[in-house]
Amino acid sequence: MIWYPYEQMKTMKKPIKVIDAKGVYLYTQDTKLIDSVSSWWSVMFGYKNKELNQAIKDQVDKFSHIMLGGLTHEPVEKLSNKLKEYLPGDLDYPFFSDSGSVAVEVALKMALQYYINQGRTEKRMVMSLTNSYHGDTFKTMEVGDDEDYHFILKAYGKSPYVVHVDTQIPALEEAFKKYGEKLNSFIVEPLLQGAGGMKMYDISFLKRARELCDQYDVVLIFDEVATGFGKTGNRFVSDLVLPDILVLGKALTAGYMGHAVTVANKKIYYGFYDDDPSHALMHGPTFMANPLACCVALKAIEIFERDKYMDKVKHLEEVAKEEMKGFCDDRIKEVRIMGDVVCIEVKDAKTLDGYQDFAYKKGVFARPFLNCLYSMPPMIIKDDELKKILKTMKEWFEK
């Protein structure tokens, strides 16, 4: 028996079995479906991309994996150099891992140990956003604010080391005034809170956060696992406001395989660079910097740059805004559009009961959650395919 994610196994519906995938389509035994959610927001160039396939094939003939402990290899060296050139500011020091959750764990560990290495044990607290999500591992659950993980509070009580803040500047300023001296880090999903409900907020909040982190000597962490590579209409939100630590995953490998990276700036890196062995970062995922993953990530970045995908994202956003213009229903709280994302937030989550089956019959794979009906398709999607997704979303309220 397979134990599926985010499901009550006793009552779950039979999952859709995929036998093939190409472009934006998932193929079952009986039909084909437009993947409107990019396999959890990762498959930005769709399925069966020839260049990405070839990048993996070329490397697998050499070697599929070697540990990074005491060894190195050309794919990780090339990817590290590319990230240094590609990312803004002095985000020059990548630490690789095998999933977004682990990469966030690494970021949180970096931020705390950065101060411990200085003997500053008072900087114990982490601040994150209300309704935040940073992964399913234990510390990421603790710093997040996902209701599905509030069972932890029943077992351990409220953590004295974590505080949450709304995306309003007055609330942010008040939180820093109260906790700033004790904070080691402030972690955010910049501009777009994904699993917390596709909530969107203004860049002015992040600009003020950067100022306050500098004022109170707090490490600013951007979790761009979901938002990176154009999802918000920006290449990275880090291009607009520079964090101290950046976390990337999902689209880093164009969704081909699990891989992630935690990229530190010079200040953080040199907080560990020391003759004292106890100041080293003691972390080492077995599959960090996997050569296959590094090769496909390099090719994905090349395609993203070469084929000007930021222009494609801007076009998709324009199409979505035109298609959703004036659309409303008494059951809808808000329609939000940003970059590659369209979200219809309803007032009552029960309004979306049955939508997945409805969309399936229309030729669309969808996965609503909470009170959100959303689309975040592969960026290769054609206008008529995107319009079909959005038409299906609208027809749900018209039936």
Side-chain angles (χ1 to χ4, degrees), residues 330-386:
D330 289 342
R331 293 164 289 180
I332 294 175
K333 180 178 179 180
E334 187 178 33
V335 177
R336 298 187 289 272
I337 299 171
M338 176 186 284
D340 190 37
V341 183
V342 178
C343 176
I344 299 174
E345 182 181 351
V346 297
K347 297 172 184 175
D348 184 348
K350 292 181 180 179
T351 301
L352 303 179
D353 288 350
Y355 178 77
Q356 189 173 52
D357 290 337
F358 175 83
Y360 180 92
K361 293 172 183 175
K362 299 283 186 177
V364 174
F365 172 69
R367 190 178 167 88
F369 68 99
L370 301 176
N371 58 343
C372 294
L373 178 56
Y374 80 98
S375 167
M376 194 189 297
M379 294 174 184
I380 62 166
I381 196 165
K382 297 174 182 175
D383 288 8
D384 62 330
E385 294 165 336
L386 177 58

Side-chain angles (χ1 to χ4, degrees), residues 164-342:
H164 299 107
V165 64
D166 291 332
T167 54
Q168 304 295 323
I169 291 176
L172 179 70
E173 292 174 336
E174 183 60 30
F176 266 94
K177 184 178 180 181
K178 186 174 181 180
Y179 301 107
E181 300 299 333
K182 299 177 182 179
L183 291 175
N184 63 65
S185 59
F186 180 30
I187 182 169
V188 300
E189 302 156 90
L191 294 187
L192 173 68
Q193 292 182 261
M198 293 296 168
K199 298 179 184 300
M200 302 173 187
Y201 60 96
D202 192 73
I203 192 66
S204 60
F205 178 87
L206 295 176
K207 290 179 177 178
R208 185 62 180 134
R210 177 70 275 177
E211 292 172 350
L212 290 165
C213 284
D214 290 339
Q215 179 181 338
Y216 286 90
D217 191 14
V218 174
V219 174
L220 180 59
I221 303 171
F222 277 10
D223 176 355
E224 293 219 52
V225 170
T227 62
F229 296 97
K231 295 294 197 308
T232 65
N234 305 284
R235 194 185 66 138
F236 304 103
V237 183
S238 303
D239 289 329
L240 307 180
V241 175
L242 190 64
D244 299 297
I245 299 175
L246 169 64
V247 185
L248 299 174
K250 293 189 182 290
L252 176 66
T253 61
Y256 261 58
M257 57 201 314
H259 200 217
V261 64
T262 307
V263 190
N265 67 7
K266 186 175 182 179
K267 177 184 79 172
I268 300 301
Y269 179 78
Y270 278 94
F272 293 77
Y273 194 77
D274 199 295
D275 291 326
D276 186 343
S278 71
H279 287 182
L281 179 63
M282 300 303 290
H283 203 97
T286 299
F287 295 103
M288 68 181 297
N290 171 264
L292 302 178
C294 289
C295 286
V296 78
L298 275 164
K299 182 57 67 173
I301 294 171
E302 178 188 327
I303 294 170
F304 191 82
E305 286 184 293
R306 182 195 69 206
D307 295 347
K308 299 181 179 178
Y309 267 85
M310 284 311 306
D311 292 341
K312 295 179 188 290
V313 173
K314 287 180 172 60
H315 173 72
L316 294 177
E317 183 179 63
E318 290 169 0
V319 171
K321 286 181 176 177
E322 183 62 29
E323 288 297 302
M324 301 303 288
K325 184 187 296 182
F327 176 67
C328 60
D329 184 280
D330 289 342
R331 293 164 289 180
I332 294 175
K333 180 178 179 180
E334 187 178 33
V335 177
R336 298 187 289 272
I337 299 171
M338 176 186 284
D340 190 37
V341 183
V342 178

